[in-house]
Amino acid sequence: MECVLVGIDGSEDSRAALRWAAAMSAALQLPLRAMWAWDYPTDAIPSVGRLHLPEPHRADELVEGQLRHLLTDVLGEDGDEVSVEVGRGPGAAALLRAAEEGPSMLVVGSRGLGGFKGLLLGSVSRQLCEHAQGPVTVVRGTEPVDPVRLDTIVVGIDGSPEANHALTFAAELATKVNAELVVANAAWPGTVVHPPNVEPHVDLDARRQLVEQWCA
């Protein structure tokens, strides 16, 4: 199913991801789909009395209500056009299952409610980057940006089939959102031991020609 799928957990990072996903879905002319996953707590030990947890169907209803409220709060009336889905289980696992249907892009915030401030990636975003079969966008920062847009897309390539796939995706995305595409390749001299006072050398002209061949 071609769409932009965004993972929500109520955190400020996920709200930023929602704003970004909504802008991209409009730019790509694709429907927006939002998912909020829940799981029964396994590490909560009540000190007094019995812990009453809602039945699964009731929990689904409560989470869907929270999701609908958040969509309206962040997107206003446009939130009514977003399809919603409630997932069960850990957030990363639920999103990976949903992503098996083939969304055009999976979007999450860099850290969720369980994330630690200062980390580049939270556990959910890291797992999605490592295991998702399709493109994943991790939105950093929580400050609203208006308008949300892509001005520059940087893609790293090395001639591998995976890099070629990334280059194709980046080129198509840049065309659709009218962004500048920058193709990058990192090179280093290698492991050859050089004599003292000899500067290791990389033939940048040859490397540039190689990158141009890959792009062609």
Side-chain angles (χ1 to χ4, degrees):
M1 174 184 177
E2 289 196 355
C3 69
V4 176
L5 172 62
V6 57
I8 304 294
D9 66 357
S11 65
E12 288 301 316
D13 286 68
S14 73
R15 294 168 72 96
L18 173 60
R19 287 190 290 268
W20 196 92
M24 284 304 103
S25 69
L28 299 174
Q29 297 183 340
L30 291 173
L32 179 60
R33 179 176 160 210
M35 168 178 272
W36 190 327
W38 67 271
D39 195 11
Y40 286 126
T42 58
D43 58 350
I45 303 176
S47 57
V48 179
R50 181 178 297 175
L51 182 64
H52 295 281
L53 297 174
E55 293 293 328
H57 70 278
R58 178 56 179 158
D60 288 345
E61 294 174 356
L62 292 172
V63 173
E64 182 175 344
Q66 287 181 295
L67 179 52
R68 288 289 185 187
H69 177 76
L70 186 144
L71 290 172
T72 301
D73 187 40
V74 175
L75 303 179
E77 294 181 356
D78 292 339
D80 296 336
E81 305 300 321
V82 181
S83 62
V84 301
E85 182 176 349
V86 176
R88 295 184 184 180
L95 285 168
L96 285 172
R97 287 195 299 270
E100 290 177 355
E101 300 178 15
S104 302
M105 184 182 296
L106 175 57
V107 182
V108 291
S110 58
R111 292 181 295 109
L113 291 174
F116 292 94
K117 191 172 183 179
L119 292 180
L120 291 177
L121 293 177
S123 61
V124 171
S125 54
R126 181 180 296 276
Q127 291 180 59
L128 294 176
C129 288
E130 292 177 351
H131 300 293
Q133 297 300 308
V136 177
T137 296
V138 180
V139 179
R140 286 183 56 80
T142 58
E143 293 298 322
V145 178
D146 188 25
V148 177
R149 64 182 187 272
L150 282 179
D151 293 323
T152 305
I153 298 174
V154 180
V155 55
I157 65 172
D158 60 4
S160 65
E162 291 79 5
N164 292 340
H165 184 62
L167 177 58
T168 299
F169 174 81
E172 292 176 351
L173 181 61
T175 300
K176 291 177 181 178
V177 300
N178 195 30
E180 178 186 6
L181 179 63
V182 177
V183 180
N185 172 259
W188 60 94
T191 58
V192 178
V193 178
H194 296 273
N197 302 321
V198 174
E199 185 74 20
H201 176 69
V202 173
D203 190 336
L204 294 180
D205 289 334
R207 178 65 58 170
R208 188 173 292 106
Q209 290 178 8
L210 186 59
V211 171
E212 290 175 353
Q213 291 177 14
W214 289 335
C215 291

